[in-house]
Amino acid sequence: MMFFRKAIVLIHGFAGGPWDHQNLSNELQLFIDFDVYNIILPGHDKSIITNVKRNDWISSVECLCDKLIDSGYKTIYVMGHSMGGVIATYIATKYKQVKKLILVAPAFKYLKFKDNKLDVINSLKTVPSVFKEYEEKEVIGRILKVPIPTTLEFTHLVKEHADDVKNVSVPTLIIQGDKDSIVPYESSLYVHDNIKSEVNILAKMKGVTHDVFNGSRGDDTISLIKEFLRKRHFKKGKFKIEI
């Protein structure tokens, strides 16, 4: 029976958790041939800790995938949000069992650093509308509460795995909100332009912020993902759509 079932691995973003995509997880649980696996990356269960390393995040997902394969899964779908999108991209290049990839606001472009210190001012200049999306205190609070060494691990992760996109060959859906002030559209465009997938879809969603699954169009995002996961045959090519 296991061989006919599909595993779906959901990877959250930096300083986030499975609660960010809980609505998606709940919807996918309704499909009888899907088994959904949410992962909590090391250091993200309660608070970001200083001794967590980027390889810990990678290894935790690898460990889950290894267990799924050992259990008999032949087909694995992977979804990554923000930093989770960077990790998901790498996973898709490593395991032949990964048959579909979904990247939601993949964070290949993010905060800026100078001399190994977070450059808050220039980071915020790159996303001038960020304060329209979030309260100022919340933005500063999020940045300051994460230890700099941990944030640097994130930036090193992105730098080390930026070229992984060039080795992606499975059908890929990229979702980007046009109101995302955290991860710019250029990040998703970078993936779209560089992956080798014969099915390569970049969906720009109008009025959608970085809080993709819980915003006003969360249901639309989830429906788009479900359609991509359920569909068996796709028209080959690179496609950009606006929804």
Side-chain angles (χ1 to χ4, degrees), residues 46-196:
K46 292 184 179 179
S47 61
I48 300 295
I49 54 178
T50 57
N51 63 351
V52 68
K53 302 296 183 182
R54 56 192 180 278
N55 287 337
D56 296 331
W57 299 329
I58 292 286
S59 296
S60 64
V61 183
E62 288 177 327
C63 182
L64 172 58
C65 289
D66 289 338
K67 289 180 179 178
L68 294 176
I69 294 169
D70 289 343
S71 297
Y73 287 101
K74 302 296 184 181
T75 299
I76 299 175
Y77 299 155
V78 182
M79 187 287 295
H81 178 218
S82 199
M83 183 184 78
V86 178
I87 298 174
T89 299
Y90 162 73
I91 293 297
T93 66
K94 179 175 180 178
Y95 294 95
K96 64 181 181 180
Q97 290 82 3
V98 175
K99 304 301 183 182
K100 290 183 182 179
L101 176 65
I102 300 169
L103 303 175
V104 182
F108 285 96
K109 297 181 183 293
Y110 207 69
L111 300 177
K112 292 183 176 294
F113 281 77
K114 184 177 182 180
D115 299 326
N116 281 341
K117 293 182 179 180
L118 178 62
D119 189 342
V120 176
I121 300 301
N122 282 323
S123 291
L124 295 181
K125 282 181 179 178
T126 65
V127 285
S129 62
V130 70
F131 292 118
K132 296 179 182 179
E133 185 175 331
Y134 301 103
E135 292 293 331
E136 180 176 350
K137 290 183 179 179
E138 182 179 350
V139 174
I140 299 300
R142 286 186 182 187
I143 294 174
L144 295 182
K145 81 173 184 178
V146 178
I148 292 299
T150 305
T151 308
L152 283 172
E153 287 295 320
F154 165 46
T155 61
H156 292 324
L157 172 76
V158 173
K159 184 177 180 180
E160 290 174 2
H161 290 280
D163 285 340
D164 288 346
V165 300
K166 299 174 183 178
N167 296 317
V168 173
S169 58
V170 298
T172 302
L173 170 65
I174 311 160
I175 299 175
Q176 179 73 43
D178 70 346
K179 299 298 183 182
D180 191 331
S181 299
I182 306 301
V183 172
Y185 177 72
E186 288 74 18
S187 187
S188 288
L189 189 61
Y190 165 73
V191 180
H192 181 65
D193 288 343
N194 285 281
I195 63 175
K196 298 178 180 178

Side-chain angles (χ1 to χ4, degrees), residues 220-237:
D220 295 331
T221 305
I222 292 171
S223 294
L224 183 62
I225 291 174
K226 289 194 300 183
E227 180 182 0
F228 179 75
L229 292 176
R230 298 296 293 175
K231 197 170 184 178
R232 293 186 177 182
H233 303 288
F234 296 89
K235 183 178 180 181
K236 294 181 180 179

Side-chain angles (χ1 to χ4, degrees), residues 1 4-8 23-36 73 77 222-231:
M1 182 89 177
F4 300 100
R5 300 181 65 80
K6 303 174 183 66
I8 302 177
N23 292 337
L24 171 65
S25 179
N26 292 342
E27 288 285 332
L28 295 179
Q29 296 280 2
L30 298 177
F31 293 109
I32 60 174
D33 56 337
F34 287 174
D35 293 327
V36 182
Y73 287 101
Y77 299 155
I222 292 171
S223 294
L224 183 62
I225 291 174
K226 289 194 300 183
E227 180 182 0
F228 179 75
L229 292 176
R230 298 296 293 175
K231 197 170 184 178

